[in-house]
Amino acid sequence: MHTTWKVGALAEASGLTVRTLHHWDAIGLLTPSRRTAGGHRAYTESDLARLYQVLALRGLGLGLEAIGACLDAGVDPVRLVRDHLAEVESALAALEMLRGRLVALDGELATGGVPLPTLLDALRATGRTDPDGERALRRHVDADAVRELGDRASALGPAAHYHLEVEWPELYRRAERLRASGTPPADAAVRRLVARMDELSALFTGGDAGISAGVRRAWREDPAAMAGDLAVDAGEYRDLADYLDAARRAVPEGAHS
């Protein structure tokens, strides 16, 4: 008897959400090969192999549409694994470089000094260089706008890392939880999150409406590339973007009284 996995078990094992697997089934990216007598999804070993390929290709920066095209056309599993291995080795090399800088910084701090050059090296290593995200961004804003974003991020110093790597992902997660729970966009909690997101946007865009609109288009068109290490499903992100836009348009409660 062949082993099969229900959608909940597969979601838990893969680190995905049940909603993501449902979405991938709906768009034909990962359709379970079997159904139970009750009509529930049942994934087979071949489905798990395809899931690995989907996740590996997504890890290489491909969007869901491109992944589907690659898999439907047939991909070389040897090349896929080698490319995945190369990405892992690159990440390990970056972590080893960061480790070396942190060891050096720890040694200098232990002597009682404040080694500014070493500290700056560690901060730079901690920051993320994301060529896929930059390429996605350049499709929607011009070179001057990209430089403006970079200059403003540099001017913020270490705070930029906190806003981008800590605060923004947490705001995203909170907003998605509210959306998934059915909280109306006009709810005060949602509007507070939107207000903070817009404040952060203004920090990096200088309040330029054109740059802000371009960044939003880049996120909507290719959220996986823009998100970098933050796991983002394109369908889920667009649902959330629509939800947040509705919150921006919502009239605060009591405004008509």
Side-chain angles (χ1 to χ4, degrees):
M1 182 175 179
H2 296 290
T3 301
T4 59
W5 290 264
K6 292 183 178 179
V7 65
L10 184 59
E12 183 177 357
S14 62
L16 299 169
T17 64
V18 169
R19 189 171 183 274
T20 292
L21 291 175
H22 285 175
H23 174 65
W24 288 1
D25 182 10
I27 64 176
L29 182 64
L30 182 68
T31 300
S33 298
R34 296 183 183 178
R35 293 275 177 172
T36 67
H40 298 293
R41 294 169 175 86
Y43 294 85
T44 65
E45 290 183 1
S46 63
D47 297 329
L48 265 65
R50 183 176 173 95
L51 175 59
Y52 168 77
Q53 293 176 320
V54 170
L55 295 177
L57 288 172
R58 192 171 69 164
L60 295 174
L62 274 67
L64 295 183
E65 185 175 347
I67 291 172
C70 286
L71 294 182
D72 292 341
V75 296
D76 179 1
V78 174
R79 179 180 177 183
L80 179 63
V81 171
R82 287 176 179 171
D83 287 345
H84 198 181
L85 178 61
E87 287 292 313
V88 171
E89 289 178 342
S90 177
L92 288 173
L95 286 172
E96 184 60 31
M97 182 181 296
L98 175 58
R99 178 182 178 278
R101 288 172 174 169
L102 291 175
V103 167
L105 178 59
D106 179 64
E108 293 188 41
L109 287 173
T111 65
V114 183
L116 184 58
T118 308
L119 179 60
L120 290 175
D121 281 345
L123 289 172
R124 292 189 192 102
T126 304
R128 182 179 68 220
T129 300
D130 187 355
D132 290 334
E134 184 170 334
R135 281 194 293 269
L137 186 60
R138 286 182 180 275
R139 289 196 290 270
H140 298 279
V141 298
D142 59 27
D144 288 339
V146 172
R147 282 194 293 272
E148 176 75 10
L149 290 167
D151 290 345
R152 288 189 172 274
S154 297
L156 288 170
H161 178 267
Y162 170 78
H163 291 317
L164 291 173
E165 306 293 335
V166 179
E167 187 175 8
W168 169 252
E170 179 58 24
L171 291 171
Y172 173 91
R173 286 188 288 267
R174 289 181 186 178
E176 175 58 19
R177 285 196 294 269
L178 289 170
R179 188 196 68 79
S181 69
T183 303
D187 188 269
V190 183
R191 289 188 289 105
R192 283 195 296 270
L193 286 176
V194 168
R196 181 54 184 162
M197 288 178 173
D198 291 345
E199 286 178 358
L200 291 181
S201 174
L203 283 177
F204 292 92
T205 66
D208 187 302
I211 297 178
S212 295
V215 172
R216 286 189 190 175
R217 285 195 300 273
W219 270 94
R220 185 177 285 273
E221 290 296 320
D222 199 350
M226 293 293 292
D229 294 336
L230 177 62
V232 172
D233 178 271
E236 290 182 355
Y237 178 78
R238 290 180 185 121
D239 288 347
L240 179 59
D242 290 342
Y243 179 73
L244 297 176
D245 285 342
R248 291 184 176 93
R249 296 190 300 268
V251 177
E253 296 177 5
H256 296 300
S257 60

